[in-house]
């Protein structure tokens, strides 16, 4: 998945944390909600500006970051 279509990092938004484009929702927010047991459907119901592809983009971003960390050590 090309998560760059949905994720941006801007110094003037959320202190440079990766966020979903057009929102102030960070990748961390989405991952935290999922890790605390929220389903995709619950997240989508609570945040109408999101869609399922955006949630998948957050997961892909996290997977890519983890993959890069493994090779950096």
């Amino acid at each position: 998945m090309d998560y760059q279509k949905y994720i941006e990092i801007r110094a003037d938004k959320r202190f440079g944390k990766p966020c979903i484009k057009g929102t102030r929702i960070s990748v961390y927010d989405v991952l935290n909600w999922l890790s605390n047991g929220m389903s995709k459907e619950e997240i989508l119901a609570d945040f109408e500006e999101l869609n399922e592809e955006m949630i998948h983009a957050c997961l892909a971003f996290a997977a890519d970051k983890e993959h890069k960390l493994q090779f950096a050590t």
Side-chain angles (χ1 to χ4, degrees):
M1 156 171 262
D2 180 18
Y3 60 79
Q4 292 176 340
K5 180 177 175 183
Y6 299 103
I7 307 294
E8 67 181 356
I9 299 173
R10 291 180 28 196
D12 64 335
K13 187 188 283 188
R14 299 283 307 260
F15 304 101
K17 292 182 180 180
C19 292
I20 298 173
K21 289 182 180 179
T23 75
R24 294 186 54 79
I25 299 171
S26 71
V27 170
Y28 171 82
D29 293 333
V30 175
L31 296 175
N32 190 46
W33 298 328
L34 290 168
S35 72
N36 282 305
M38 281 184 81
S39 68
K40 285 188 253 181
E41 292 77 19
E42 290 171 321
I43 294 170
L44 295 173
D46 286 351
F47 301 94
E48 296 177 0
E49 63 267 44
L50 299 181
N51 62 46
E52 194 167 346
E53 285 294 308
M54 293 171 174
I55 294 173
H56 289 198
C58 291
L59 292 169
F61 179 88
D64 188 48
K65 186 174 180 182
E66 174 64 20
H67 177 74
K68 288 177 182 174
L69 284 175
Q70 287 181 345
F71 289 108
T73 58

